Amino acid sequence: MRRDVRILLVGDDGVGKSTLITSLIKETFIPNIQHVVPEVTIPPEVTPENVTTHIVDSSVLYVPPTTARTENRETLETEIRKAHVICIVYSIDDPNTFNRLPVFWLPYIRSLGVNVPVVLVGNKIDLRGEDVTNQSLEDEIIPIMNEFKEVETCVECSARQPLNVSEVFYFAQKAVLHPTAPLYDSREHVLKPACVDALRRIFKLCDTDKDNVLNDDELNEFQRKCFNAPLQQQELEGVKEVVRDREPLGVNGIGLTEIGFLFLHTLFIQRGRLETTWTVLRKFGYGDDLSLREDFLLPPLDVASDCSVELSPNGYQFFTELFQIFDKDKDGALKDSELEALFSTSPGNPWRNTEFPQTTITSEAGAVSLQGWLAQWSMTTLLEHKTTLKYLAYLGFEGDTRIALKLTRARRLERKKGKVQRNVFLCYVFGAAGSGKTSLLKAFVNKPFSDVHSPTKLPFGVVNSVEIKGAEKYLVMQEFGSRNEAEILQNRKRFEACDLLCFVYDSSDVNSFSYIVNLRVCYTFCGALYMFWEMEGVDVYIPQKYDIDHLPSVFVATKSDSDLVQQRYEVQPDVYCRNLGLAVPLSLSVKERQTADLYHILTGVAMNPTIATPGSKDAQAAAWTAKQYITLSAVAAGVLLASVLGYKLVRQQSATSTGAGSIPRRDYL
């Protein structure tokens, strides 16, 4: 809700605009005031809505408009465009000023492209004859309000007595802070569709037992949340009685139905109590356009680049209770219809564009178990914490959604200490096409094995819980397909977001191991070479300014049920791993369901990274590693050749470059 309101008074000459303002400020009638009163600012503490209010008097626009002074017209149009609400004042003792409302003033404001609420103000009520009734006033005003939807209300007052002067400005404030237009169709006398959708969502969130009725406890909780006070039992019965009399389907033996809830808000609006409905909408995060506010969905959360986000105990409790509420058949799993009901207060399932529920634990019927549900949210929070923040708001988390999350310590700090305190870990899985990466991931979430090879084209991830020494951890495993692996390794932000690497090769394919070695050599070499040249003071740009060897790594040999073959590489996998100071590859067969406790090992390595981190991290060791890797493969040799040529080119240009202002070239590998 905005914290300031700018009210502009316009109208014909002599209707009392300036007198109204001075009567409000002085609380008495002041005769012989100046023609145009300077802008008045009223502090928030003295206004009913606790907002700063600016009241602006306008210069006169004479009849016909073509006779108006140019500077007056320009000033007036500027003020109209700045106003939040416009009060058009007419004089009750001068019918001509009233007649000009629909023929001049309202069309004139529209012609400027201004779309703000308008309040009609009939001044000098003390001069009106006694034969005028409220009915005759209504007969005159209603046609104007039907034609000009921007007209919020009409207020009659007297600046002389004074009478209803403060009400004029209260209704002007109200027209800005609690506008009718977004909520109610005055012509059809019904709530607008966007308002109905918002109120239905609020009803669902308040219906905590999901029986489609608000019982007395739920109504009182709703009242407490929105208005900070419960209703007495007598008041509750009175509300239900009003609904029952006017809308029989609005109440049943349990409480207030959705029909009754909507009817109550229609009644509030029709009786001019728009602030009631707006208070409800704003308590549930809605803005003036009846969409959920950005600050409600995404409150500020500063996450350092080397930190991650996890669910806090509050977050796990919320998602657990939500699961239990919507598990209507109490079978311990959410089927499609139950998931649809659960996400009915949101834009829909947040994982609809993924392979969910194949990404987590499900029942034999394919319904998501509680274990899988919590695991899926753990993965979402780790990879896209903003999605979790939004859905906490969509699904009705009570209070600040940020308390449902927690920030972890920086990864590098934890690796340096050798002990990781986080509960959710990300493992990237690399390997040649056909090496069995997808099967390995699907086995983690108990999905059936398939002999048919389907190449991975899009990134695929799974998540499951792993128990380590009595504590539940979550392991997220992602593969990218051989076409995308280089892109991931080149993306430092994504690469640094993972906790460990899993290198997979097919023990029955002679070329499978060389693929992952060449992959490692290229990126380990580039990182080490950059560090070596940085020490030498060479100005060379290399995209990979990091070394994958600072991450713990686990090697896996798949398809142990097939014939073991010698790998076409200088050394065999076990020797290669020992040279890196790592354990020999784990041999397993997904087909035979022999996974060698891999997933517990991966989680254990993520928690204790130093036990599987190859090589030294200091600069000299990094340079030595680069020299050693130069001889390991043709890939490394190609990179070395390009780097040497670039180095010589830099040297040559540095020697031959002359003249002031010359700029040394940066060379690219």
Side-chain angles (χ1 to χ4, degrees), residues 237-410:
E237 294 303 325
V239 169
K240 289 188 281 189
E241 190 61 34
V242 169
V243 176
R244 188 179 291 110
D245 289 344
R246 301 279 296 275
E247 181 52 75
L249 297 178
V251 179
N252 63 21
I254 300 175
L256 192 70
T257 66
E258 183 183 277
I259 292 174
F261 188 72
L262 294 174
F263 168 77
L264 271 180
H265 285 281
T266 304
L267 195 61
F268 291 147
I269 294 169
Q270 290 174 343
R271 292 182 177 179
R273 292 175 54 190
L274 288 98
E275 64 274 15
T276 301
T277 300
W278 273 116
T279 298
V280 171
L281 291 166
R282 286 171 177 144
K283 285 290 184 180
F284 281 85
Y286 287 92
D288 290 348
D289 61 353
L290 291 188
S291 64
L292 291 171
R293 302 188 312 272
E294 188 69 12
D295 66 302
F296 174 74
L297 294 175
L298 288 175
L301 183 65
D302 187 19
V303 182
S305 59
D306 200 28
C307 298
S308 63
V309 184
E310 299 178 358
L311 287 174
S312 70
N314 287 326
Y316 281 115
Q317 180 181 353
F318 172 75
F319 284 118
T320 299
E321 292 175 352
L322 200 65
F323 180 97
Q324 293 168 343
I325 288 171
F326 283 92
D327 180 19
K328 290 296 185 181
D329 53 12
K330 303 304 176 185
D331 64 347
L334 296 179
K335 52 180 176 285
D336 288 346
S337 60
E338 291 169 335
L339 281 171
E340 184 178 355
L342 188 153
F343 287 118
S344 64
T345 59
S346 74
N349 188 325
W351 313 299
R352 56 189 176 275
N353 294 324
T354 69
E355 295 191 42
F356 176 84
Q358 297 299 308
T359 55
T360 192
I361 298 297
T362 58
S363 67
E364 292 182 359
V368 182
S369 67
L370 177 59
Q371 178 185 351
W373 169 255
L374 296 179
Q376 185 73 23
W377 279 113
S378 299
M379 177 167 66
T380 300
T381 306
L382 178 68
L383 300 180
E384 301 175 17
H385 74 272
K386 290 184 178 180
T387 298
T388 300
L389 264 182
K390 286 183 177 181
Y391 272 80
L392 286 165
Y394 288 138
L395 300 175
F397 184 86
E398 184 70 26
D400 188 343
T401 53
R402 289 172 292 189
I403 68 172
L405 306 181
K406 69 173 184 179
L407 299 179
T408 68
R409 292 191 304 178

Side-chain angles (χ1 to χ4, degrees), residues 39 52-53 143 154 165 176 208 240 262 286 381 394 435 497 598 655:
E39 179 178 325
T52 302
T53 304
C154 178
V165 174
V176 176
T208 54
K240 289 188 281 189
L262 294 174
Y286 287 92
T381 306
Y394 288 138
S435 59
L598 169 66

Side-chain angles (χ1 to χ4, degrees), residues 95-139:
N96 186 53
T97 60
F98 178 82
N99 295 335
R100 277 173 44 80
L101 298 178
V103 298
F104 173 70
W105 281 109
L106 288 164
Y108 174 64
I109 293 170
R110 278 189 176 182
S111 72
L112 299 177
V114 173
N115 183 23
V116 296
V118 172
V119 176
L120 304 181
V121 180
N123 191 22
K124 306 184 183 180
I125 192 175
D126 54 296
L127 300 180
R128 187 172 64 187
E130 297 180 358
D131 57 336
V132 178
T133 64
N134 287 336
Q135 184 60 49
S136 60
L137 173 64
E138 186 175 325
D139 292 341

Side-chain angles (χ1 to χ4, degrees), residues 107-245:
Y108 174 64
I109 293 170
R110 278 189 176 182
S111 72
L112 299 177
V114 173
N115 183 23
V116 296
V118 172
V119 176
L120 304 181
V121 180
N123 191 22
K124 306 184 183 180
I125 192 175
D126 54 296
L127 300 180
R128 187 172 64 187
E130 297 180 358
D131 57 336
V132 178
T133 64
N134 287 336
Q135 184 60 49
S136 60
L137 173 64
E138 186 175 325
D139 292 341
E140 292 179 328
I141 294 297
I142 292 300
I144 296 176
M145 296 182 71
N146 286 338
E147 182 179 356
F148 297 93
K149 296 301 180 183
E150 58 268 38
V151 177
E152 288 279 327
T153 189
C154 178
V155 186
E156 291 190 331
C157 63
S158 170
R160 179 181 291 274
Q161 288 187 345
L163 177 66
N164 287 348
V165 174
S166 61
E167 281 76 4
V168 169
F169 298 97
Y170 168 71
F171 280 110
Q173 274 189 344
K174 189 175 173 181
V176 176
L177 303 175
H178 312 300
T180 303
L183 306 183
Y184 191 70
D185 188 329
S186 301
R187 183 171 298 166
E188 300 295 332
H189 305 292
V190 294
L191 297 176
K192 289 187 173 179
C195 180
V196 171
D197 290 344
L199 291 174
R200 280 178 173 163
R201 176 178 173 273
I202 291 170
F203 179 89
K204 290 178 180 179
L205 292 175
C206 295
D207 178 21
T208 54
D209 59 8
K210 309 306 173 188
D211 63 352
N212 300 317
V213 181
L214 297 183
N215 59 38
D216 289 356
D217 290 339
E218 291 166 340
L219 278 171
N220 264 325
E221 180 59 25
F222 164 78
Q223 184 76 10
R224 181 204 61 77
K225 178 181 175 70
C226 296
F227 306 103
N228 299 317
L231 291 171
Q232 299 299 320
Q233 188 61 38
Q234 186 177 355
E235 294 173 311
L236 277 171
E237 294 303 325
V239 169
K240 289 188 281 189
E241 190 61 34
V242 169
V243 176
R244 188 179 291 110
D245 289 344

Side-chain angles (χ1 to χ4, degrees), residues 588-609:
L588 52 85
S589 169
V590 175
K591 183 177 181 180
E592 298 296 327
R593 299 182 180 180
Q594 298 171 353
T595 56
D597 208 22
L598 169 66
Y599 310 112
H600 284 80
I601 292 172
L602 291 174
T603 307
V605 166
M607 295 175 64
N608 300 276

Side-chain angles (χ1 to χ4, degrees), residues 414 495 583:
E414 289 193 318
F495 188 74

